[in-house]
């Protein structure tokens, strides 16, 4: 990997796009180094690049796409994990990534300096005008020890009002008031947790985007977002030969949906959790744009 002096040399080259942020192999012990190095690389105008990983390693695939650089898999062809690959890319190979690299929040710099053992909490974002979606990855510096609880305030992510928090791995949602904290536990042998955070609009709706993608509101999928008086409008890019797309979110009351450029196959709202899912079916096998409106009934 490059050292800081090599990274600083990069400012002399107008065509530099990526810098390796850690050594060979995207292994779990390298996450801390990758996340903290991403800050310097980002400030130098480049994207942090990870090394390759097995496509079946869900945690590594998640970390790589959140980092914003290339996502390289090192499998034999017959061992490629198609499901995981299409969680980071469209059918045409375009990566659905955030607008900036995954970088630790300020509190994690302090906890690392003080060696508290607290989980590292890092975040990145998708932005559509003034609308912001946050992707939060909390992970243990050392998966074998340290605290398994993490927390942060929505204000740490730039949100001042109520928010909806989605856990893609448990398929659960939580609605939080302005003063409530996002909390959870790190899970699995890799000791991490992932959350997608959306502001709840005045209409009582928060849209998480395409939950078939790790970066659900990434601008390669959701090309535009507009808040409506009673809901939200999404412009959605559909690649050639794509099948059904599931757009999910949170709503305080039941919703209805309408689409152009795609067929709404179903719209479901869970009155207990507030989570809704809209299944879209592309109109054709060619690449095209669709527009989806989700509004309160």
């Amino acid at each position: 990997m490059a050292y800081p002096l090599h990274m600083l040399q990069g400012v002399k080259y107008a065509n530099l796009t990526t810098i390796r942020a850690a050594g060979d192999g995207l292994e779990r012990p390298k996450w801390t180094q990758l996340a903290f190095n991403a800050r310097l690389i980002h400030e130098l105008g480049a994207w942090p690049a990870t090394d390759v990983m097995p496509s079946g390693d869900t945690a590594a695939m998640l970390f790589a796409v959140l980092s914003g650089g290339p996502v390289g898999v090192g499998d034999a062809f017959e061992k490629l994990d198609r499901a995981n690959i299409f969680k980071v890319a469209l059918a045409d190979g375009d990566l659905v990534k955030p607008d900036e690299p995954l970088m630790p929040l300020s509190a994690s710099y302090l906890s690392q300096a003080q060696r508290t053992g607290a989980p590292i909490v890092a975040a990145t974002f998708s932005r559509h005008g003034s609308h912001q979606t946050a992707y939060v990855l909390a992970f243990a510096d050392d998966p074998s020890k340290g605290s398994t609880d993490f927390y942060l305030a929505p204000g740490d992510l730039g949100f001042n009002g109520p928010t909806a928090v989605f856990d893609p791995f448990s398929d659960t949602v939580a609605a939080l008031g302005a003063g409530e904290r996002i909390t959870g536990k790190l899970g699995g042998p890799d000791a991490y947790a992932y959350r997608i955070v959306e502001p709840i609009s005045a209409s009582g709706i928060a849209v998480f985007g395409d939950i078939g993608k790790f970066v659900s509101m990434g601008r390669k999928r959701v090309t535009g977002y507009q808040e409506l008086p009673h809901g939200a409008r999404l412009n959605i890019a559909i690649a050639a030969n794509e099948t059904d797309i599931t757009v999910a979110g949170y709503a305080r009351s039941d919703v209805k949906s309408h689409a152009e450029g795609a067929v709404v196959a179903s719209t479901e709202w869970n009155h207990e959790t507030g989570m809704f899912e809209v299944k879209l079916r592309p109109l054709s096998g060619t690449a095209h744009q669709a527009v989806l409106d989700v509004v309160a009934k």
Side-chain angles (χ1 to χ4, degrees):
M1 62 161 281
Y3 288 99
L5 74 162
H6 303 122
M7 297 179 189
L8 291 169
Q9 177 77 14
V11 300
K12 295 186 174 183
Y13 309 117
N15 60 347
L16 178 66
T17 59
T18 57
I19 300 174
R20 272 279 292 275
D24 292 345
L26 179 47
E27 300 160 345
R28 178 58 181 82
K30 294 188 172 76
W31 283 19
T32 300
Q33 183 183 24
L34 286 161
F36 281 94
N37 283 349
R39 173 70 64 183
L40 174 60
I41 293 170
H42 176 60
E43 295 302 329
L44 295 175
W47 289 92
T50 68
D51 198 15
V52 298
M53 72 225 74
S55 59
D57 187 339
T58 301
M61 293 285 282
L62 171 64
F63 192 98
V65 75
L66 291 177
S67 294
V71 178
V73 297
D75 307 280
F77 187 77
E78 66 275 8
K79 294 185 178 180
L80 289 170
D81 189 318
R82 178 184 175 89
N84 270 354
I85 289 172
F86 287 116
K87 287 177 182 174
V88 305
L90 301 180
D92 61 7
D94 267 351
L95 288 177
V96 184
K97 66 179 188 177
D99 291 350
E100 62 185 50
L102 181 76
M103 294 178 283
L105 300 181
S106 298
S108 290
Y109 285 86
L110 293 176
S111 65
Q112 282 286 290
Q114 296 166 353
R115 299 183 180 180
T116 64
I120 295 163
V121 180
T124 182
F125 305 89
S126 291
R127 297 183 176 93
H128 299 84
S130 61
H131 182 84
Q132 175 173 278
T133 303
Y135 311 100
V136 177
L137 186 70
F139 58 95
D141 186 8
D142 182 347
S144 68
K145 59 184 179 182
S147 172
T148 60
D149 298 297
F150 75 93
Y151 63 87
L152 70 153
D156 297 336
L157 304 169
F159 300 116
N160 298 316
T163 54
V165 182
F166 178 57
D167 179 349
F169 292 109
S170 65
D171 203 31
T172 56
V173 65
L176 303 179
E180 295 183 271
R181 297 194 304 181
I182 301 166
T183 62
K185 289 187 176 294
L186 309 183
D190 289 319
Y192 74 99
Y194 181 52
R195 302 290 187 270
I196 300 171
V197 186
E198 279 281 345
I200 299 175
S201 68
S203 63
I205 289 177
V207 182
F208 299 123
D210 176 4
I211 59 171
K213 303 291 183 247
F214 287 138
V215 182
S216 54
M217 287 286 285
R219 288 190 290 122
K220 284 291 186 177
R221 171 63 88 196
V222 180
T223 60
Y225 174 92
Q226 179 185 351
E227 193 168 314
L228 302 176
H230 303 289
R233 172 173 293 164
L234 277 68
N235 297 86
I236 298 173
I238 300 175
N241 301 316
E242 285 202 290
T243 54
D244 289 3
I245 297 167
T246 300
V247 175
Y250 165 83
R252 292 176 180 146
S253 60
D254 200 358
V255 298
K256 59 183 178 179
S257 61
H258 171 75
E260 296 179 5
V263 174
V264 175
S266 64
T267 303
E268 298 180 356
W269 176 71
N270 186 316
H271 73 278
E272 294 181 351
T273 65
M275 185 168 173
F276 68 81
E277 292 189 1
V278 179
K279 293 193 183 298
L280 290 178
R281 189 157 296 150
L283 283 179
S284 70
T286 60
H288 63 286
Q289 289 274 334
V291 178
L292 171 67
D293 290 352
V294 180
V295 299
K297 282 187 176 179

